[in-house]
């Protein structure tokens, strides 16, 4: 069984920075694309950023130039560096990955970490 565990959320003032981490564990053969999503209160979950196994990156327009996604394949870990945070970035942030468990492709989500940005 594969699992994703996020960490690094918290309370920060507008203009501040946070770094989220997501560690994958379990029976992992390889990890394909990984990404961060977020869900604000009363809103649908939305894509924040994704990164392929070859480190191609894609960002939502709302975070371009402020957030940076990266991965450490040796550690099976995904990161999200968030700078110049705004109150509208307040949300639960979820890690997602497509993980190969042998020949089985697993669509895996973390439980989320709360980011709160105060004005």
């Amino acid at each position: 069984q594969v699992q994703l565990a996020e960490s690094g959320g918290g309370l920060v003032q507008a203009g501040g920075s946070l770094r989220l981490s997501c560690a994958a564990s379990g029976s992992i053969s390889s990890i394909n694309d990984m990404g961060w999503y977020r869900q604000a209160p009363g809103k649908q979950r939305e894509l924040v950023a994704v990164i392929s196994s070859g480190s191609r990156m894609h960002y939502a327009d709302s975070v371009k130039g402020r957030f940076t996604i990266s991965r450490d394949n040796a550690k099976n870990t995904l990161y999200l560096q968030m700078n110049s945070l705004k109150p509208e970035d307040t949300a639960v942030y979820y890690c997602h990955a497509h993980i190969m468990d042998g020949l089985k492709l697993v669509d895996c989500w973390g439980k989320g970490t709360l980011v709160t940005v105060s004005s």
Side-chain angles (χ1 to χ4, degrees):
Q1 185 177 1
V2 296
Q3 291 182 324
L4 296 174
E6 303 97 335
S7 61
L11 174 64
V12 63
Q13 287 188 332
S17 298
L18 281 175
R19 188 192 196 205
L20 305 183
S21 299
C22 171
S25 61
S27 178
I28 299 171
S29 298
S30 62
I31 303 178
N32 297 340
D33 55 291
M34 305 183 80
W36 290 99
Y37 293 74
R38 67 186 182 186
Q39 187 167 17
K43 295 188 176 181
Q44 290 188 331
R45 191 173 298 190
E46 63 177 2
L47 170 71
V48 176
V50 293
I51 183 168
S52 71
S53 57
S55 294
R56 284 188 175 183
M57 295 164 280
H58 172 78
Y59 296 92
D61 287 343
S62 59
V63 305
K64 279 181 182 176
R66 300 188 298 122
F67 291 9
T68 302
I69 190 170
S70 62
R71 60 191 287 173
D72 185 332
N73 293 327
K75 296 181 178 179
N76 290 332
T77 300
L78 177 71
Y79 303 99
L80 185 69
Q81 178 65 43
M82 304 185 295
N83 298 328
S84 302
L85 282 161
K86 303 175 181 180
E88 50 263 44
D89 294 318
T90 295
V92 177
Y93 283 71
Y94 297 92
C95 176
H96 174 263
H98 287 114
I99 298 175
M100 294 301 300
D101 177 359
L103 296 178
K104 179 183 176 183
L105 179 62
V106 180
D107 185 44
C108 198
W109 288 91
K111 294 182 178 180
T113 185
L114 177 63
V115 172
T116 303
V117 184
S118 63
S119 57

